[in-house]
Amino acid sequence: MTSESGGPRCDRGAGDAAGHPAPRENDQLRRFAGIWCRAVHPLAATTMTAEEFEGYLLPLAQRLSAALRSSPFDTEAAYEVGAALVDAQCTEPDALPAILGVIDAHLVSCSSPGVPFSRPSGESFPGPSGESFPGPSGESFSGPSDEPSHEPLADEEARARCVRLQHALAAGFVRELRERERDEQEAISRAAMAARTEAEKALHASEAKFQAVFEGAVIGVGIAGLDGEVLVVNDAMARMFGGMDFFRPGRNVTEFVHPDDVPGAHELYRELVNGERDHFRIEKPHYRDDGSELWTNLTVTLLRDSSGAPQYQLALAEDITEHRQLRERLRYEATHDELTGLPNRTLFLERLDQVLAADADAERFGVCYLDLDGFKAVNDSLGHVVGDRLLTAVAERLQRCVKAPTELLARVGGDEFLALVTGPAAQTDGAGLARRMLAALAEPVRIEGRELRVRASIGVVDGRAGEIGRAEVLRSADITMYRAKAAGGNRFEIADADSNARVIARHSLTNGLPSALEKGEFFIEYQPLVRLTDGTVRGAEALVRWLHPLHGVLGPDQFIPLAEDTGLIVPLGRWVLEQAARQAREWRDAAEDDESLRVNVNLSPCQLSHPTLVSDTVAVLENAGLCPSALCLEVTENDLIGADETALRPLRQLADLGVDIALDDFGTGYSNLSYLRRLPVSQLKLDRSFTRGMQRAPADPVDVKIVEGIVSLAHTLDLAVTVEGVETAVQAEHLRGLGCDTAQGWYYARPGPPERLHTLALADAS
Ligand code: C2E
Ligand code: CA
Ligand code: CA
């Protein structure tokens, strides 16, 4: 019925869009108001026609839509819309569910310009009887939220906001309704009082008046003696409790006590009948005649006789069962995850806050932050439906590990779960829970005939209430989980301050790394390479540094591994090569000598296997106007161990072009020396560890023998030998005696700015 009468209005809305330059969004809101009107108008006790009612709803719809996108987000408007709907008499029992149902199903889609309706207008909307808005059983709203939501984040945000707007609207609605009923109650109280005080003067008239209010009242009214015996109740009260029989003669209000009565209720009652207070008001549970539960908002007033002595008690009861159920359901929805039914982040944080605020001595706690390993791959390759089923299965298994009431499991994000253990020290063991959770996931999960292996990384934080704040607990759990992942996953790690600090430092460096190159935060120092026979500077090794805005100058050992992990080493390495080549050209120009200074540049394994290594290097040399023999690329021994011919091809091509290749850190790997013959290298850089034993005289005889052996082998293979880490004159002299060709080390110079090399080289020349 409603959809027929509502159809034309929706069509007119669409026509507007076609015929007039009305903004599309306004058009969508008009359609929204149309749907809303059709759902709610039949339930409103309003005198407005459907057209007028729709006109009334349109500005409300606009306010909700504006609130949905407000920044900062504010629900006040929704609260007021709730009140406005009560003003329009939308007060029948089913009205609020219908109001919320339409908002839930259509507000988001009608508020985002460019996004079409989630379903064709008029096809379906939550019906007035609440068929799409479930009762206390707690299923979800109809509409888009029924489908698994895999919308982009913006949509999720909009949905979350929409739910909060519904909560605010419901709160405003209930408050306004309550206010009206309170006005009504006051009128009744006044009439009852008047009935008493004016009894002598106009007994009949006032009793008739009281009777009229009493009988006609929407809220339940009852009078009992001070001993609790029920004397009279009105129809509304009888209906509320399931029939007049409930209040059959002789019944006493003390029989109506519910086992879960709110604390303090009995006390209030006792004070009242003893004449110590004149009224009280509480929300209170009861059982109806059929045993079902009823919640009332109950105001009990003491009626005194003309001398002021207590005489009767007057009870005014408002049935708030539905409001409460709605409130509970909204609360449930706000605190539970739709997919798995587990508590969500909100509820988890509430519990955590309670635990952390508890008395410091007693309460210990453990938090486990679990993140599935490789879940994204499952989602991407097998689809969201399988992904969701996997999450549900994981949630069930994890739930079986936690023991209420001291343990709580929540789903706090896509594949992230948080578990909380609380209680006395002996029973509080985050690691124990983490172990149980991993064990619970050990068996593969079967979905659609597939066996999916589930792995997870868990960060465990143990602590004592009062000693640590919520933010720190969560951050520490997050960092520790990340450590578990970095250590290979499928394990748990326990938080400790040192590891946290390391991860944070690493994390902050990794974050800053990508932009550092653009911001020009890297620079290069050059360390001279000295010919041992005559002590002249033959060139320099380029060593990169990072001038970090917070941490100052960082050495390559602190960031090269991160750059390698993130792939940034390729552009960074190319930049170093460009700088170094340009620098070598400058040195050569300044020395007016094209043969002298050469530059050594380190290569990472990622660069070695990068397809453009050869072409990039050739281009860099050409741009700088440098011949290939002016460049030496340093590759570590470890990077070449086991490399096959294909892997070596780029290096061989570069060597064929005339670029020198040096085997860096030689002696630290365990390569077979005869293997050297296969490599396209022309130099060995003997690792510092071999020459350390020669810093002082007499030199370590074993080191001497080794160096002697390596030098002779290298020379046999036609390889030049550079020694690293020369720090003393004794060492330099010894190494020269052993036949080493070139030396590098603090004895000559520490790494420094390029100008210094020029000065050193000039000093040689003079
Ligand atoms: P490396 O290639 O073995 O470089 C020599 C390292 O030894 C340098 O450390 C240098 O400062 C240090 N050193 C030089 N003389 C002495 C000495 O007499 N005594 C002592 N104790 N140390 C000395 P640095 O600059 O910290 O570089 C560390 C490593 O970082 C380098 O080791 C190299 O593997 C890497 N690296 C530096 N720049 C780059 C680059 O541009 N790209 C790549 N991929 N790696 C680089
Ligand atoms: Ca090197
Ligand atoms: Ca080295």
Side-chain angles (χ1 to χ4, degrees):
M1 160 209 73
T2 42
S3 60
E4 281 139 40
S5 65
R9 272 199 304 281
C10 287
D11 290 342
R12 191 193 59 198
D16 275 348
H20 306 289
R24 178 183 179 148
E25 188 199 346
N26 230 349
D27 219 46
Q28 290 188 336
L29 284 174
R30 202 153 296 174
R31 297 181 74 176
F32 178 86
I35 297 171
W36 218 14
C37 173
R38 282 184 287 151
V40 181
H41 187 254
L43 299 174
T46 176
T47 51
M48 284 188 247
T49 65
E51 249 86 355
E52 288 164 351
F53 189 62
E54 187 178 329
Y56 184 83
L57 292 180
L58 183 59
L60 303 186
Q62 282 159 342
R63 294 197 63 189
L64 287 179
S65 170
L68 188 72
R69 283 169 297 148
S70 59
S71 174
F73 180 59
D74 186 2
T75 57
E76 181 62 25
Y79 191 88
E80 289 164 15
V81 168
L85 289 166
V86 173
D87 289 345
Q89 310 294 340
C90 303
T91 50
E92 292 298 308
D94 291 328
L96 182 56
I99 289 164
L100 296 179
V102 174
I103 293 175
D104 194 64
H106 298 289
L107 181 64
V108 171
S109 57
C110 290
S111 298
S112 35
V115 178
F117 267 93
S118 55
R119 53 177 61 160
S121 117
E123 186 183 308
S124 160
F125 56 86
S129 57
E131 78 255 15
S132 303
F133 185 90
S137 55
E139 320 94 72
S140 55
F141 290 107
S142 77
S145 58
D146 270 354
E147 295 133 30
S149 80
H150 305 299
E151 298 137 20
L153 191 68
D155 283 356
E156 274 171 29
E157 168 72 14
R159 291 240 29 97
R161 284 176 164 218
C162 181
V163 170
R164 288 185 55 195
L165 289 177
Q166 289 175 57
H167 294 185
L169 187 146
F173 187 96
V174 169
R175 157 62 74 91
E176 182 69 13
L177 201 59
R178 183 78 48 82
E179 220 114 79
R180 287 176 134 220
E181 285 170 354
R182 193 160 304 153
D183 291 348
E184 198 177 27
Q185 285 184 9
E186 272 161 21
I188 291 171
S189 288
R190 269 198 305 278
M193 291 298 177
R196 179 172 61 74
T197 53
E198 294 186 3
E200 296 86 25
K201 292 184 226 156
L203 192 62
H204 286 296
S206 82
E207 265 187 359
K209 195 166 136 203
F210 175 68
Q211 205 61 31
V213 178
F214 182 79
E215 291 305 340
V218 192
I219 62 169
V221 185
I223 297 178
L226 293 179
D227 60 355
E229 188 189 347
V230 179
L231 301 175
V232 58
V233 297
N234 71 350
D235 284 347
M237 186 75 114
R239 266 200 309 277
M240 229 179 262
F241 281 82
M244 217 27 124
D245 194 40
F246 188 85
F247 296 103
R248 56 192 170 271
R251 288 215 78 175
N252 194 294
V253 295
T254 52
E255 293 168 36
F256 308 155
V257 172
H258 190 282
D260 298 334
D261 214 345
V262 283
H266 180 70
E267 190 63 8
L268 290 171
Y269 178 77
R270 206 186 44 74
E271 287 172 13
L272 184 105
V273 293
N274 287 343
E276 291 159 22
R277 65 162 58 238
D278 279 320
H279 62 263
F280 66 85
R281 179 191 185 96
I282 49 171
E283 277 191 13
K284 199 173 143 41
H286 316 263
Y287 288 123
R288 292 196 191 90
D289 211 21
D290 61 2
S292 60
E293 197 172 60
L294 165 76
W295 273 85
T296 63
N297 186 355
L298 184 73
T299 307
V300 185
T301 307
L302 185 66
L303 300 180
R304 297 174 189 269
D305 63 18
S306 51
S307 69
Q311 196 177 17
Y312 300 112
Q313 39 177 328
L314 169 73
L316 305 176
E318 171 201 356
D319 184 347
I320 54 163
T321 314
E322 270 196 28
H323 292 168
R324 252 190 98 87
Q325 281 166 350
L326 178 68
R327 210 160 68 195
E328 267 165 22
R329 214 167 56 73
L330 289 176
R331 154 109 188 128
Y332 182 88
E333 278 172 12
T335 53
H336 286 78
D337 166 44
E338 209 178 319
L339 179 67
T340 61
L342 287 179
N344 66 10
R345 185 180 206 90
T346 310
L347 187 55
F348 182 88
L349 293 181
E350 272 176 23
R351 274 289 289 279
L352 181 63
D353 286 346
Q354 281 167 9
V355 169
L356 295 180
D359 239 345
D361 297 336
E363 202 82 31
R364 282 194 60 82
F365 70 88
V367 167
C368 295
Y369 182 26
L370 180 150
D371 186 291
L372 296 183
D373 299 336
F375 177 73
K376 192 178 175 314
V378 172
N379 240 0
D380 291 350
S381 60
L382 302 178
H384 292 300
V385 177
V386 173
D388 280 358
R389 289 183 57 186
L390 181 63
L391 286 174
T392 315
V394 165
E396 275 167 16
R397 290 198 188 178
L398 296 180
Q399 181 66 57
R400 269 183 254 141
C401 304
V402 300
K403 298 181 221 111
T406 55
E407 297 178 349
L408 174 81
L409 174 73
R411 176 172 174 239
V412 295
D415 60 341
E416 294 160 36
F417 298 84
L418 269 169
L420 177 66
V421 203
T422 52
Q427 292 144 30
T428 311
D429 183 9
L433 178 56
R435 219 171 273 125
R436 276 184 275 142
M437 293 203 287
L438 286 176
L441 298 179
E443 283 283 302
V445 175
R446 286 189 68 85
I447 292 174
E448 290 176 359
R450 259 194 207 97
E451 300 242 308
L452 298 177
R453 272 176 48 76
V454 184
R455 294 160 51 95
S457 300
I458 306 179
V460 179
V461 178
D462 285 308
R464 196 180 281 282
E467 287 176 358
I468 181 170
R470 177 223 267 195
E472 204 184 327
V473 171
L474 296 179
R475 197 174 63 137
S476 183
D478 184 40
I479 291 171
T480 312
M481 185 280 290
Y482 173 80
R483 254 174 57 218
K485 275 223 193 291
N490 208 27
R491 67 173 67 217
F492 71 89
E493 295 283 340
I494 297 177
D496 76 89
D498 287 351
S499 319
N500 282 2
R502 270 199 305 279
V503 173
I504 292 169
R506 190 186 148 98
H507 192 70
S508 97
L509 289 190
T510 311
N511 278 347
L513 206 50
S515 58
L517 194 55
E518 285 161 32
K519 291 188 193 152
E521 290 172 1
F522 293 108
F523 68 97
I524 300 177
E525 288 192 322
Y526 295 87
Q527 187 176 33
L529 292 155
V530 176
R531 186 156 65 195
L532 276 167
T533 47
D534 58 5
T536 55
V537 174
R538 307 312 302 157
E541 176 173 3
L543 296 163
V544 66
R545 278 91 181 82
W546 179 6
L547 179 56
H548 191 281
L550 279 181
H551 306 295
V553 175
L554 300 176
D557 292 340
Q558 286 170 277
F559 63 85
I560 292 285
L562 300 181
E564 285 174 343
D565 286 353
T566 54
L568 195 84
I569 190 67
V570 173
L572 176 61
R574 195 180 297 136
W575 179 82
V576 172
L577 184 65
E578 279 162 10
Q579 298 298 309
R582 236 201 39 233
Q583 191 56 58
R585 181 69 259 165
E586 271 181 37
W587 287 329
R588 289 186 166 210
D589 291 344
E592 295 171 0
D593 172 0
D594 235 31
E595 293 303 303
S596 61
L597 294 171
R598 301 147 46 88
V599 71
N600 285 29
V601 173
N602 293 285
L603 275 192
S604 276
C606 316
Q607 292 173 273
L608 269 181
S609 55
H610 198 270
T612 62
L613 174 68
V614 178
S615 55
D616 280 357
T617 309
V618 170
V620 166
L621 289 173
E622 272 173 11
N623 286 343
L626 204 64
C627 61
S629 63
L631 176 67
C632 174
L633 293 176
E634 299 191 3
V635 186
T636 71
E637 183 189 1
N638 282 320
D639 296 337
L640 292 191
I641 290 176
D644 61 12
E645 215 20 64
T646 321
L648 291 175
R649 191 173 302 136
L651 277 190
R652 207 176 288 286
Q653 284 174 350
L654 287 168
D656 289 346
L657 286 170
V659 174
D660 254 341
I661 311 290
L663 205 53
D664 203 358
D665 299 346
F666 184 74
T668 56
Y670 296 94
S671 56
N672 177 347
L673 291 185
S674 63
Y675 170 74
L676 284 178
R677 297 169 62 183
R678 288 188 43 229
L679 299 178
V681 297
S682 49
Q683 288 188 30
L684 296 187
K685 287 190 81 175
L686 203 50
D687 190 69
R688 198 152 54 88
S689 52
F690 288 97
T691 58
R692 208 176 285 141
M694 293 176 205
Q695 281 177 358
R696 260 165 272 113
D700 181 333
V702 178
D703 280 349
V704 173
K705 276 266 172 275
I706 294 176
V707 174
E708 217 172 9
I710 292 177
V711 170
S712 105
L713 175 84
H715 286 167
T716 313
L717 294 172
D718 219 9
L719 302 174
V721 176
T722 300
V723 281
E724 293 184 324
V726 179
E727 295 186 3
T728 66
V730 176
Q731 213 181 355
E733 193 43 41
H734 210 134
L735 290 163
R736 194 181 61 80
L738 288 175
C740 297
D741 304 283
T742 317
Q744 176 180 2
W746 297 350
Y747 171 61
Y748 304 100
R750 297 210 177 206
E755 307 78 56
R756 225 202 28 219
L757 190 93
H758 180 57
T759 323
L760 289 171
L762 281 183
D764 289 342
S766 60

